[in-house]
Amino acid sequence: MLDHTADKQTPDITRRHFLQAGMLAGAAPALLAAAPALAEEAAASPPAAGDTKGAEKSDAKSKAAAQDTKGGQTVTLAAYGAALRYDQIPPEVLQRAKDAMTDAVATIIYGAELPWSKMIIAYARQNGSGGKSQILGSGTLPVHPQMAALAQGAMAHAFELDNLTKPDSGAHPGAALFSSGLAMAQDKGLGGQALLAAFVAGAEVMLRIGYATKHTNEERGFHAPGTTGPFGGAVTVGHLLGFDQAHMVNAMGIAGSCAGGLLAFAHAGNGAMVKRLNVGRGAEGGVVAADLAAQGFTGPSTVLEGEGGFLRAFCPEYDLTELTRGLGSTYETMNIMIKRYACHITAHTPVEAMLGLRKANGFKADDIASITVAGSPRMTTVNNIPKPADSLLAQFSIPFCVALSMYRNPVDPRSFDEKVAQDPRILALTQRVTMQLAPGQKNNDLASTVTVKLNDGREFSSHVTAFTGTPEHPLDRAGLREKFMLLTRSHPEAAMAKLFDRIQGLEKEKNLDWLRV
């Protein structure tokens, strides 16, 4: 992760002021640095920002109310999203964006094979035919952008394979930003550089919103990517449409009304198909929000920080300073991580620890008396599912994924077949896994400590904070190619290898009509 650098809040930036700053500075970081001084003409003082608990006490409510001024965090983020240009983005950030898109293509293509994805594809074709946007992995019949975004967002997340971030923002960049961005880029005949710049603009806004939630939107029962996805998608699509600041503010304001998605499936023990739909609706919402804003539809300019806004409505606790921390000087896009295992992200470090312990000590599943996994509150509650009802919930269950890693290859999504939740050996070992809360660990911390006790009395323990694919240990090109080819192996190998190379050279492409499977 690139170091955060604190910056001042921007109270009110007119289009004229913003463009003047751009002409003087010539780069997005300088635009943000110049904005506060320019904005002094329009506001006496910047809004206060801090770690606020959702209006539970009157003094906290009054403090937060001081931030509901025109030109607050929503406007600052919109201004940045509208102003960012391709040639201002560092090469390593563009490469991380390309890697995330490459990964998204593979997860979408694999997702197209699954029954719940086929239902959404059929819905998208029935309700969106006649457009110019592709649904990857499902043939070449085009649809309108919002339906392509819905389908591909859901398909990317169809089997717990799509990329996320570390630290955990609760957002899914590939599913939310690539799905919506590709749909609009194909509709408008735009090229690779336009899509890359739009993706980064969307990521810089969406990930900061995710960090501002402190992941407490899920404590309230919301599925995080369904709540942040519309904002990221709106900025991505708005950037592709050439939005100025005013239109981008409206797009974000509208996106707030598209945010949603519930975690009821995790507690009901059934209905996990909606987990995929939540992510697809996030991508779709971004397209809808930007499309309406382009037509002059308006949304609240304080949709993130204001009274009745996103953070207050969805999060019992939030941190407004995260919305603009380091904006213009650091790139949160560098926090994107590529998933290694075909299971929920909270299971990655436990599975990594389990595989490492087995390799180092040579024990087998039958040798294990008990397994203890210590982690965050989220890991010990939402992801503590000892008897998952189906393969979708099996992927969401940390105890089950840990147990599966002793019998099957967790890297291969085909290990989670339709009968996996009824595998008696995995289920038996799952019952010997206990989840424990690690004192002081936050929900956005994916670290875990796994302790294995054997029948002969020996005990082994491993604390894992990262895995191959995290920002500390990024997946190299060979590793990314391996995952891409694994997920797309139902298609001709030579064609998929060529597709991989072409996406990795996306900046050279003048249009994206070729991106179809």
Side-chain angles (χ1 to χ4, degrees), residues 34-342:
L38 293 169
E40 287 178 1
E41 300 175 23
S45 60
D51 187 352
T52 312
K53 294 199 173 185
E56 294 175 353
K57 297 181 180 180
S58 59
D59 57 340
K61 192 169 183 179
S62 298
K63 183 178 179 181
Q67 297 162 344
D68 295 344
T69 57
K70 184 178 180 182
Q73 291 92 336
T74 301
V75 172
T76 300
L77 287 171
Y80 176 89
L84 186 66
R85 294 295 175 262
Y86 176 84
D87 58 7
Q88 299 164 354
I89 304 171
E92 65 272 19
V93 178
L94 290 171
Q95 185 59 52
R96 187 62 59 88
K98 280 194 290 185
D99 289 348
M101 292 188 198
T102 304
D103 181 64
V105 170
T107 61
I108 290 168
I109 292 173
Y110 181 82
E113 304 173 13
L114 303 170
W116 40 94
S117 294
K118 291 178 180 179
M119 297 177 200
I120 293 179
I121 292 169
Y123 173 85
R125 295 210 186 285
Q126 180 181 353
N127 293 278
S129 62
K132 302 176 183 178
S133 306
Q134 295 293 318
I135 301 176
L136 300 179
S138 67
T140 59
L141 184 65
V143 296
H144 287 292
Q146 69 270 26
M147 287 294 104
L150 169 67
Q152 293 184 140
M155 293 157 67
H157 191 56
F159 217 64
E160 298 293 349
L161 294 164
D162 56 313
N163 47 74
L164 303 102
T165 63
K166 186 184 180 194
D168 187 11
S169 62
H172 290 238
L177 309 178
F178 175 76
S179 298
S180 57
L182 177 65
M184 188 57 71
Q186 289 184 327
D187 186 72
K188 300 300 181 184
L190 301 174
Q193 290 189 11
L195 181 57
L196 280 165
F199 183 98
V200 174
E204 293 305 307
V205 172
M206 181 177 71
L207 302 189
R208 283 177 167 83
I209 294 172
Y211 292 134
T213 69
K214 301 181 72 173
H215 230 299
T216 62
N217 43 1
E218 294 208 336
E219 291 178 17
R220 188 164 274 177
F222 294 105
H223 188 203
T227 69
T228 58
F231 293 108
V235 173
T236 297
V237 175
H239 195 282
L240 288 166
L241 295 176
F243 278 4
D244 58 17
Q245 175 186 319
H247 281 87
M248 195 68 85
V249 169
N250 282 326
M252 290 182 64
I254 300 164
S257 292
C258 298
L262 301 174
L263 283 172
F265 65 88
H267 303 282
N270 54 57
M273 287 186 189
V274 300
K275 185 175 190 289
R276 283 70 187 155
L277 180 63
N278 292 342
V279 180
R281 290 300 302 271
E284 177 198 21
V287 175
V288 170
D291 231 350
L292 287 172
Q295 298 177 47
F297 206 91
T298 62
S301 62
T302 56
V303 67
L304 296 174
E305 72 276 14
E307 186 69 39
F310 170 73
L311 290 172
R312 299 190 190 201
F314 283 81
C315 307
E317 187 177 348
Y318 50 88
D319 185 353
L320 292 177
T321 65
E322 290 291 341
L323 290 172
T324 53
R325 187 187 300 278
L327 185 65
S329 59
T330 62
Y331 285 88
E332 301 295 354
T333 302
M334 294 300 293
N335 292 342
I336 295 176
M337 64 178 172
I338 309 296
K339 292 181 74 171
R340 179 171 174 79
Y341 305 113

